Amino acid sequence: MIVDTSSATAHTPSATTTEPAPPTAATARRWFEIAFDSTYLVTIWTLVIAMTRQRGRVRQSDRRTAGLLRRAFLMLAIGDTAHVGFRVLALTRGDDRATVTWLGRRTSLLGIGEMASSITMTFFYVLTLDAWRVRFGKAWTRFTKLLLGAGAVRVVALAAPQNEWDQPTPPQKWSVYRNVPLLVLGLGQAFLIKRDARRTGDRTLARVGDAMLASFTFYTPVILFARRVPALGALMIPKTIAYVAMAIQVYRGFYRPARVGHDKQHGD
């Protein structure tokens, strides 16, 4: 889930005047990113596997919500395995573009990985929205249908050839186009989750909502300005940590075997 800002540097006005980082600094930065990305993938998959193994321990009244959230994080893990995994592969090979030949055409694995992650991230938020609906016994309203519509618009935007997924760095303009619907979908449901979690005293979902808001706080500047200010790509680190925090809260609140002092559960 780390943004590759090295290719973005070439598009900034200062790229021709800024001296390259010393080899030792570049090497340290590369290995830090490899270690962070690898740790993230191991952590998120560990949590998904733990949820799967412990799903029989979830209380009956929580099973629909817990199942939706588990599938959401499974989607996240699958997409990021491609996105982050290909990034790690590129870094370990010393090949920032990580291209392969497919059907006689050079294709960037980084672009393909970002496409996969973008698709699964959309389904992640659709599933978490449905989890909110089930958890708090809500019906589909005009507002929630609007959020679903934003997800559908994003899927259509992801399919547009102008994204140039076969390139290591897709066009900035289309990065904004496809991420605006995601912001609508994600921020809209974060508001719903926090509102209803506060009303019912649901600490687990309240913390999930907090982490969701934090992730978009860090992600929005990257979407809008990372090509101009490559250093903003570092905000993807706390954004990634926010997703891990969400997964931990879901595991602790629904799947952890020891359920002493469990949250208030809507009249259970």
Side-chain angles (χ1 to χ4, degrees), residues 1 16 18 53 68 81-82 84 86 100 112 114 117 122 127 170 198 207-208:
M1 296 177 74
T16 57
T18 303
R53 294 184 64 181
L68 287 164
T81 297
V84 178
F86 286 153
V100 295
I112 297 301
E114 185 174 352
S117 179
T122 307
L127 286 166
R198 184 182 298 113
R207 291 165 182 164
V208 169

Side-chain angles (χ1 to χ4, degrees), residues 118-189:
S118 296
I119 294 170
T120 57
M121 182 64 71
T122 307
F123 287 106
F124 171 87
Y125 280 105
V126 170
L127 286 166
T128 53
L129 178 62
D130 198 25
W132 159 82
R133 185 186 63 83
V134 171
R135 177 71 159 175
F136 298 107
K138 301 294 185 178
W140 292 110
T141 64
R142 289 183 180 179
F143 181 64
T144 52
K145 289 177 181 178
L146 173 66
L147 297 183
L148 288 177
V153 169
R154 175 170 162 86
V155 171
V156 172
L158 292 175
Q162 290 88 345
N163 285 290
E164 297 182 15
W165 294 117
D166 59 337
Q167 300 301 312
T169 307
Q172 168 68 13
K173 180 170 65 174
W174 275 86
S175 177
V176 173
Y177 290 165
R178 66 177 178 264
N179 278 300
V180 167
L182 182 68
L183 289 172
V184 172
L185 173 60
L187 290 174
Q189 70 174 278

Side-chain angles (χ1 to χ4, degrees), residues 73-96:
F73 284 101
L74 176 61
M75 287 284 100
L76 181 73
I78 291 172
D80 280 345
T81 297
H83 185 196
V84 178
F86 286 153
R87 178 68 182 151
V88 169
L89 176 63
L91 289 167
T92 54
R93 290 172 52 184
D95 176 10
D96 286 341

Side-chain angles (χ1 to χ4, degrees), residues 26 195 250:
R195 181 197 66 186
V250 168

Side-chain angles (χ1 to χ4, degrees), residues 197-219:
R198 184 182 298 113
R199 177 178 57 81
T200 60
D202 189 327
R203 289 175 294 173
T204 296
L205 268 291
R207 291 165 182 164
V208 169
D210 288 338
M212 194 175 288
L213 282 176
S215 72
F216 281 105
T217 300
F218 295 121
Y219 189 40

